Amino acid sequence: MKTTLGQRIKARRKELELSQEKLGELAGLDQTVISKLERGDVQETARVAELAHALGCDALWLATGKPSGGKEERTSRQAVHEVNLRGKVPLISYVAAGNWSDAVDNLSTGDAEQWIDTTVPVKRHTYALRVEGDSMEPRFPNGAILIVEPEAEPKNGSFVIVRQNGNDTTFKQLIADGGQWYLKPVNPRYPIMQLGPDAVLCGVVKQMIMDVG
């Protein structure tokens, strides 16, 4: 039986146990685009190559349903993970993150706690940080690894690493309200803080990793 593009995307995604959000992250697409494709609201896309890369499958098969006769399709989550690795970034402490703009150019391999594989694009100053505490739970559990991009432009709703009040470094969601900027925790037990005049942005969170092996 002939299948649609959306059915092939969904079947392959389910086979790999990927969420729509995770597939969108790997393919550089919004989760709503993945949802529309799978529902059939969108019948074709110019991003088939990116989707096939993220799904570890043949682009011709994904686009048309026809096998290409090429090399064997990858069928495990590990294979997809390997295909989409973009590089390694240093895992550093909150203290180091707060002073990252000053120290990054002097970083050597031995300065990092460990090096983390990531599937997001890596730039010169990209780093990883371990979540400490429960102020961002349940979305970002204590101990999870964050991939942080210092060069990314923050916007309303971005999850950011910020240093303020001297060396006080924190991880919160950046919120604009009434012309003011605030740092909002996910956990409602913690208060929203106003972004101080001395605040220094240390990066925008691009990915969360639960298990680094």
Side-chain angles (χ1 to χ4, degrees):
M1 183 178 69
K2 186 174 181 180
T3 58
T4 66
L5 171 65
Q7 289 171 334
R8 289 189 293 276
I9 291 172
K10 184 175 183 179
R12 183 64 176 158
R13 177 177 65 78
K14 292 288 188 179
E15 180 185 353
L16 298 172
E17 299 181 19
L18 296 174
S19 66
Q20 289 184 342
E21 184 178 11
K22 181 60 178 177
L23 175 57
E25 179 184 307
L26 293 173
L29 296 171
D30 191 272
Q31 182 270 333
T32 57
V33 175
I34 303 298
S35 179
K36 288 179 180 179
L37 282 165
E38 291 188 355
R39 290 200 309 266
D41 295 345
V42 179
Q43 299 298 326
E44 59 182 43
T45 175
R47 304 294 293 275
V48 167
E50 288 90 340
L51 283 164
H53 184 69
L55 291 166
C57 66
D58 178 67
L60 178 62
W61 170 82
L62 190 64
T64 67
K66 299 176 182 179
S68 67
K71 65 180 181 179
E72 183 177 353
E73 192 175 296
R74 295 174 183 267
T75 58
S76 69
R77 277 185 294 172
Q78 180 61 34
V80 171
H81 177 67
E82 290 172 356
V83 165
N84 289 283
L85 284 179
R86 302 293 184 91
K88 292 180 180 288
V89 297
L91 177 65
I92 62 175
S93 68
Y94 261 86
V95 173
N99 298 290
W100 194 240
S101 60
D102 302 323
V104 67
D105 290 328
N106 296 321
L107 182 79
S108 63
T109 303
D111 294 327
E113 180 180 328
Q114 67 185 98
W115 289 78
I116 306 297
D117 291 320
T118 177
T119 58
V120 299
V122 173
K123 297 184 179 180
R124 183 182 181 191
H125 296 163
T126 310
Y127 64 90
L129 189 68
R130 192 184 302 276
V131 175
E132 297 179 358
D134 63 353
S135 69
M136 297 300 281
E137 290 187 346
R139 181 162 182 175
F140 300 94
N142 179 52
I145 302 295
L146 306 176
I147 305 300
V148 185
E149 179 49 65
E151 297 179 36
E153 186 70 27
K155 57 185 178 181
N156 185 29
S158 294
F159 292 97
V160 297
I161 309 300
V162 174
R163 184 185 76 217
Q164 59 181 8
N165 303 323
N167 290 319
D168 183 16
T169 303
T170 188
F171 165 45
K172 296 290 184 290
Q173 186 175 25
L174 187 63
I175 298 293
D177 185 28
Q180 298 292 326
W181 288 94
Y182 297 88
L183 297 174
K184 178 184 177 181
V186 172
N187 190 331
R189 294 195 298 106
Y190 290 83
I192 296 176
M193 304 179 291
Q194 187 168 355
L195 191 67
D198 64 337
V200 176
L201 178 73
C202 303
V204 175
V205 174
K206 306 300 289 186
Q207 182 183 24
M208 181 183 72
I209 302 173
M210 290 301 300
D211 182 10
V212 296

